Amino acid sequence: MTLQQPTISSLIALLLLGSGCSKNDNYSEYPSYQEGNVYIRAYQNGETSVPDFSTKTVIGGESLDKTDWCELDQIMIYYKPAESAEPLSSQLFSFYRPYPDETLFSATMPAQPETNYTYYGAYPSPESIDGTHVTYTLPALQDGSYDMRNYDITDPNTYDSYKGNLDIMIADPQTASALHNGETLGMNFHHQCHVLRIQVPTGRNQWGENVQKLRIEFPTAVVGKMELDLTNPTAIPTLTEGSNTINVELKEPLTESEEDAANGCYVWVFICPTTVNGTIRFTAY
């Protein structure tokens, strides 16, 4: 891994994490179950109980290894009668209530005929779907923030600009009966991207200036159109229209901070999971 001039010492770590935000940890202030709604319990790692919000979408925790769903997040649920060749129906579920071991999403669904269904889940809502294959764009221009947030959580007038972030997730398919009012289905979501964490540890900025932009060149394509299979959430995504260069226009300058500090200054870059053999070049501006 090399660093082009002007030089700046940096610490880089690959993480498999998620991205989102919950501004309220007082769970009693969120609504309880409501008549007319059905619910999705979103969790991770095949468990129905995962401590400390380990699935979801804003980075945190003392070791920067915890993530939370954002109160504006929505997940897309697809479903069809089990074992049938029917096309998928879809329903958008919205963030409803967080818990320490899972987060509840809710929707008002149309009545389903009584039979077993296969349910699939994706976050955020895909750009397109073909059969059980969904497509997202992992952009070559990123802003260095973990959630690509373009809204103010205190200003409801800005909420419409939030369309989810780059922490793409696909859920394990679930077979269950028709969902009726007040019923809940648990789904286990898998993160689909790798994340670069870039930091300038205190005392190691040889350039002497704060970084406003980064150009990162990989020896292989790492961004572009990502196609994922809803039936196989652990499969490696297919990347097309790929680019090996990512430009990062930072919302906030990259400054020195204590190494690995929870409140440190970091740049986060999302890439498609792939084998990277060779030199990664960084140019700082």
Side-chain angles (χ1 to χ4, degrees), residues 32-76:
S32 58
Y33 281 73
Q34 293 184 350
E35 185 66 26
N37 283 3
V38 295
Y39 302 89
I40 298 294
R41 290 186 295 108
Y43 52 89
Q44 191 182 15
N45 296 334
E47 303 290 341
T48 57
S49 178
V50 179
D52 301 328
F53 290 108
S54 58
T55 239
K56 307 123 185 157
T57 71
V58 141
I59 187 68
E62 292 184 1
S63 301
L64 299 174
D65 58 354
K66 303 293 185 292
T67 53
D68 290 304
W69 291 104
C70 174
E71 290 180 339
L72 303 182
D73 278 334
Q74 296 177 310
I75 55 178
M76 183 64 79

Side-chain angles (χ1 to χ4, degrees), residues 109-276:
M109 286 185 65
Q112 298 172 276
E114 292 298 331
T115 187
N116 284 339
Y117 291 83
T118 302
Y119 297 89
Y120 308 89
Y123 170 85
S125 183
E127 296 173 15
S128 63
I129 181 169
D130 182 9
T132 61
H133 291 257
V134 293
T135 300
Y136 296 89
T137 297
L138 199 55
L141 177 62
Q142 300 183 23
D143 68 11
S145 65
Y146 203 89
D147 64 353
M148 299 284 285
R149 189 185 306 166
N150 52 359
Y151 67 92
D152 180 352
I153 194 65
T154 65
D155 183 3
N157 293 323
T158 68
Y159 288 1
D160 286 346
S161 64
Y162 182 70
K163 305 301 181 186
N165 53 55
L166 300 182
D167 183 25
I168 299 165
M169 288 184 275
I170 302 294
D172 287 324
Q174 295 288 329
T175 298
S177 60
L179 293 175
H180 301 289
N181 290 349
E183 293 185 339
T184 302
L185 176 69
M187 299 196 79
N188 174 29
F189 282 77
H190 297 264
H191 300 283
Q192 300 296 314
C193 294
H194 284 176
V195 186
L196 286 169
R197 189 186 78 190
I198 303 171
Q199 180 186 15
V200 182
T202 302
R204 291 172 60 184
N205 185 349
Q206 300 174 9
W207 192 20
E209 299 287 342
N210 294 336
V211 178
Q212 307 289 336
K213 297 181 181 180
L214 281 173
R215 179 181 174 89
I216 310 172
E217 297 170 89
F218 294 82
T220 188
V222 292
V223 292
K225 292 284 187 181
M226 282 178 55
E227 182 179 296
L228 303 111
D229 187 353
L230 293 172
T231 69
N232 190 2
T234 61
I236 300 298
T238 299
L239 186 66
T240 59
E241 302 177 27
S243 172
N244 67 338
T245 300
I246 300 176
N247 290 292
V248 187
E249 296 185 357
L250 304 178
K251 284 187 174 181
E252 301 291 339
L254 178 60
T255 60
E256 291 187 357
S257 60
E258 183 180 349
E259 194 167 323
D260 294 331
N263 61 348
C265 185
Y266 300 98
V267 172
W268 305 92
V269 179
F270 288 79
I271 65 173
C272 182
T274 186
T275 300
V276 178

